[in-house]
């Protein structure tokens, strides 16, 4: 089931951040840095976000892969969902964003390892890919890795 009012990404809200904390690795003290106010002008690019009609059309389309970037228990519908309805879009594959992170270094996993995960799920360069999650953050990581 797709959300009624939002596309597969839902609403994205980014509040202004007046200060940024910087620090050194190893738990050293952080020194706040106050950023100067700046203007932001969004320049959406056509085709980067899709609506629910495009997602519905992608279900069963052999040239499109729907990728759910949420944890496996949410994809399977077995865990409690904070997103209103459990489960996944029919036919979607699951590549959890956490599977793309090296848990020892907390950095992105090697790109070859990530590519193997996408390939095993049927993601190919010849196909369109639509990534989704509950709010856009997890899907953004999957797409960022795919773009590398």
């Amino acid at each position: 089931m797709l959300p009624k009012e939002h596309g597969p990404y839902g609403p994205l809200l980014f509040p202004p951040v007046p200060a940024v904390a910087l620090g050194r690795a190893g738990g050293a003290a952080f020194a706040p840095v106050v950023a100067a106010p700046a203007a932001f002008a969004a320049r959406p690019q056509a085709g980067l976000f899709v609506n629910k009609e495009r997602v519905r059309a992608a279900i069963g389309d052999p040239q499109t892969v729907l990728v759910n970037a949420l944890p496996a228990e949410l994809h399977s519908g077995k865990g409690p969902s904070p997103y209103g309805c459990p489960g996944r879009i029919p036919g979607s594959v699951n590549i959890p964003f956490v599977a793309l992170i090296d848990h020892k270094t907390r950095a992105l996993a090697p790109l070859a390892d990530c590519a193997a995960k996408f390939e095993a799920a049927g993601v190919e360069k010849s196909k369109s890919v639509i990534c989704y999650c509950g709010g856009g953050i997890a899907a953004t990581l999957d797409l960022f890795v795919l773009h590398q």
Side-chain angles (χ1 to χ4, degrees):
M1 174 193 264
L2 298 175
K4 292 181 181 178
E5 297 300 321
H6 305 291
Y9 296 96
L12 296 177
L13 301 173
F14 296 95
V17 179
V20 177
L22 300 177
R24 295 187 307 265
F30 287 94
V33 175
V34 177
F40 171 77
R43 293 184 294 279
Q45 295 178 346
L48 289 182
F49 291 94
V50 297
N51 59 23
K52 65 182 175 183
E53 287 76 26
R54 173 66 180 98
V55 173
R56 283 189 176 128
I59 296 170
D61 177 0
Q63 294 305 310
T64 303
V65 181
L66 293 163
V67 178
N68 182 338
L70 293 171
E73 63 272 9
L74 293 178
H75 178 75
S76 68
K78 293 180 181 172
S81 176
Y83 303 113
C85 59
R88 63 192 172 279
I89 296 173
S92 64
V93 298
N94 186 219
I95 304 173
F97 75 99
V98 295
L100 306 176
I101 298 170
D102 180 321
H103 296 285
K104 290 180 182 174
T105 64
R106 296 186 180 184
L108 286 176
L111 289 178
D113 294 351
C114 294
K117 289 177 174 60
F118 283 104
E119 186 177 324
V123 176
E124 302 172 12
K125 291 184 180 203
S126 64
K127 296 181 180 182
S128 296
V129 176
I130 298 174
C131 286
Y132 72 96
C133 61
I137 298 168
T140 298
L141 183 63
D142 278 31
L143 288 168
F144 176 79
V145 171
L146 275 173
H147 187 71
Q148 300 308 304

